[in-house]
Amino acid sequence: MGRAEQAERTRAALLLAAAAEFEQRGFAATSLTDVSDRLGLVRATVHFHFATKKALAQALVAHLDQVWHQIRDRSADEVGRAGSNDEAGVGLARLRWESEQVLDGYRTDARQRAGLRLAIEPELAAETPDLAADWVRHVGELLAPAGRSGAAPMIVQTFAGVVIFSARETEIATREIAQRYWAGLAAAVGPT
C-alpha cells in the first residue's frame, strides 16, 4: 500500500472516530486526544490530517453536505426513470426519494449523524454550509411547480423531526419512518 492510500485510509478512520466521539460527547466535550485515543494513534497523527478540532468537525459537515448534494443529483435520474411528465408530481416524488435516502444514510452512517449535529453547533455555524437553508431552497424549487413553495419550511422542519426520531427509534425500519412521514405530509399538503 502506498503512502497516499495509507493517508486516505487514516483520514477516513479519523473521520469515523471523530463522528463517534462528536455524536457521543458533543463538539465542546470532544478533544483531538479523544479521537486519537479511540484509534490508538498518537495525537500528532490527527494533527497531520486535521490541524484543529474545528477543522475535523468542518470536514464532517462538508461530508454530509457532499452526500446530500449527491442524493439530490441522483434523485432526478431515479425519479426520471419512472417516466412521469407531471412536473409537480416529479418534484414531490423526488423529495420522497431523497428523504428515504437521507434517512437511510442518517441511520447507517455515523459521519452523517455527526455532520448534522455539528452543522447546528453555534461555534461552527458561521464557518460551515447552512444545510437547513440549502434544503429549504431545494425543497422550495421542487415544490414551486405545484404552487407549494410556501410549504418548504414546514416540510424541512417536519423532516428534521423525522430524522431525529429515526435515530432514537432503532427498532423501526427507516423506510417505515419515511412512509409514515410521506403519508402524513400528503394529507397536509393535499393532492398534487
Side-chain angles (χ1 to χ4, degrees):
M1 176 181 344
R3 282 187 177 169
E5 186 179 346
Q6 180 59 40
E8 188 55 38
R9 284 186 181 188
T10 301
R11 188 177 196 288
L14 286 169
L15 287 173
L16 282 172
E21 291 294 328
F22 286 133
E23 189 175 16
Q24 180 181 357
R25 300 171 190 257
F27 178 74
T30 298
S31 70
L32 291 179
T33 301
D34 296 327
V35 176
S36 63
D37 287 351
R38 181 177 275 269
L39 291 174
L41 299 173
V42 296
R43 190 168 171 195
T45 302
V46 179
H47 280 289
F48 175 78
H49 292 277
F50 301 98
T52 64
K53 174 174 73 168
K54 188 179 278 189
L56 186 54
Q58 289 170 329
L60 286 165
V61 175
H63 170 76
L64 179 63
D65 188 47
Q66 178 185 18
V67 167
W68 282 5
H69 277 87
Q70 290 169 348
I71 287 170
R72 293 189 324 206
D73 292 345
R74 281 184 36 224
S75 75
D77 292 337
E78 294 295 326
V79 172
R81 290 184 190 138
S84 174
N85 292 327
D86 173 24
E87 195 175 359
V90 168
L92 286 174
R94 283 184 63 189
L95 283 176
R96 183 175 188 150
W97 187 89
E98 290 170 10
S99 70
E100 290 171 353
Q101 301 306 305
V102 167
L103 279 171
D104 286 347
Y106 188 80
R107 189 81 179 269
T108 60
D109 187 349
R111 295 169 302 170
Q112 290 183 43
R113 289 189 303 274
L116 189 58
R117 180 176 180 169
L118 292 165
I120 60 172
E121 282 284 340
E123 250 182 279
L124 301 170
E127 300 169 38
T128 57
D130 187 345
L131 300 179
D134 187 37
W135 272 93
V136 167
R137 259 189 315 279
H138 174 66
V139 170
E141 290 167 4
L142 290 178
L143 294 180
R148 301 185 193 295
S149 60
M154 178 211 47
I155 290 171
V156 171
Q157 291 167 358
T158 305
F159 186 68
V162 169
V163 169
I164 291 166
F165 174 78
S166 72
R168 300 194 187 286
E169 299 296 328
T170 56
E171 70 277 359
I172 300 175
T174 301
R175 294 283 177 186
E176 183 181 336
I177 293 169
Q179 289 168 352
R180 287 181 189 175
Y181 167 74
W182 280 101
L185 184 61
V189 298
T192 57

